[in-house]
Amino acid sequence: MHIEILVEDASGKKLLESLLPKLFGKQGEPHTWRVHGYKGIGRVPKNLNSSGDPAKRILLDQLPKLLRGYGKTPGIDAVVVVLDSDRRNCVDFLAELKALVAGCSPVPNTLFRIAIEEMEAWYFGDQQALMAAYPKAKIDVLQRYQQDSVCGTWEQLADAIYPGGSAAIKKAGWPLPGQVKYEWAEKIGPLLDLERNISPSFGKLRDGLRRLITEAA
């Protein structure tokens, strides 16, 4: 089967590119996929017929148009949308996303997966991989983290592994936050173990993707 995967930023794209071969096998044997990274999450537009501004590449702004297009495109067997919950209510957010898909004609086979609160939670879920990538990480900071909690996840990770912590990153300002998150995806992502990871939202991503290809078999 062929799967189109949408994610809100470059670091998320990098992370998924390292995870997907572990789930699907080698590209083209037999499954194929493409990962599309956007430049932010945005919000679902009130007017679902809106096409948004394609030049800005904001994921939720573009999503209604994208899903309508995928539903009409032959050869696309599934669409996977991976998002951070940030501080949204996950139940309400997921209901809003599913309503968006239901409004498409035809309806594309779509799987939504939401990281709680941010994808950096998935690195905390496999601290063995995290420590292998960053052996000097501050153990006390890692131990304070409550898995898949809304607590300023990326900031806690930065406090554990970045010189000067999150304060130094915020002081430097953009583009450093994006660069640091990309580096984490690059270094930790390939080391993540699919079965060892204790993040519930990571488990839902893993199991949902496995079901997609199992059902297609």
Side-chain angles (χ1 to χ4, degrees):
M1 72 183 302
H2 177 74
I3 306 168
E4 293 284 306
I5 300 159
L6 313 178
V7 63
E8 63 188 75
D9 58 21
S11 61
K13 180 176 185 285
K14 187 68 178 176
L15 173 58
L16 287 169
E17 285 174 340
S18 69
L19 293 175
L20 294 174
K22 300 178 185 181
L23 284 158
F24 296 155
K26 192 173 181 180
Q27 178 80 257
E29 297 182 6
H31 307 293
T32 59
W33 61 89
R34 289 191 301 178
V35 185
H36 304 270
Y38 284 76
K39 294 184 177 179
I41 187 169
R43 62 184 64 200
V44 176
K46 291 181 180 178
N47 176 10
L48 296 184
N49 292 318
S50 168
S51 60
D53 182 350
K56 291 183 178 178
R57 288 189 60 77
I58 305 299
L59 180 50
L60 290 181
D61 294 8
Q62 299 289 317
L63 196 55
K65 177 186 175 184
L66 290 166
L67 292 176
R68 290 195 302 269
Y70 283 136
K72 297 173 182 176
T73 305
I76 294 176
D77 301 299
V79 182
V80 177
V81 185
V82 184
L83 302 158
D84 291 346
S85 68
D86 297 316
R87 295 186 177 271
R88 296 175 179 85
N89 177 292
C90 287
V91 174
D92 294 344
F93 187 32
L94 189 58
E96 184 181 23
L97 294 169
K98 287 182 175 179
L100 192 162
V101 177
C104 295
S105 181
V107 177
N109 178 19
T110 307
L111 175 70
F112 293 105
R113 282 297 179 261
I114 299 173
I116 314 293
E117 146 196 37
E118 296 157 338
M119 288 185 199
E120 284 75 24
W122 298 345
Y123 306 141
F124 279 109
D126 185 353
Q127 292 199 13
Q128 186 173 324
L130 199 163
M131 291 296 299
Y134 291 94
K136 296 182 180 179
K138 297 176 180 175
I139 303 296
D140 60 325
V141 178
L142 296 179
Q143 289 177 341
R144 286 202 299 269
Y145 175 74
Q146 293 185 356
Q147 191 62 55
D148 281 30
S149 61
V150 179
C151 59
T153 305
W154 82 261
E155 290 93 340
Q156 281 210 34
L157 184 58
D159 290 343
I161 64 178
Y162 189 83
S166 60
I169 297 172
K170 290 179 177 179
K171 184 177 180 181
W174 198 258
L176 185 59
Q179 292 170 343
V180 169
K181 291 180 180 183
Y182 188 89
E183 179 191 288
W184 295 342
E186 197 171 39
K187 290 190 174 181
I188 307 171
L191 303 177
L192 291 177
D193 185 289
L194 298 181
E195 311 307 329
R196 186 173 61 209
N197 201 302
I198 65 169
S199 163
S201 59
F202 181 88
K204 288 183 178 180
L205 172 76
R206 176 197 64 216
D207 297 345
L209 291 173
R210 282 179 172 162
R211 275 197 304 273
L212 266 185
I213 59 174
T214 300
E215 290 167 359

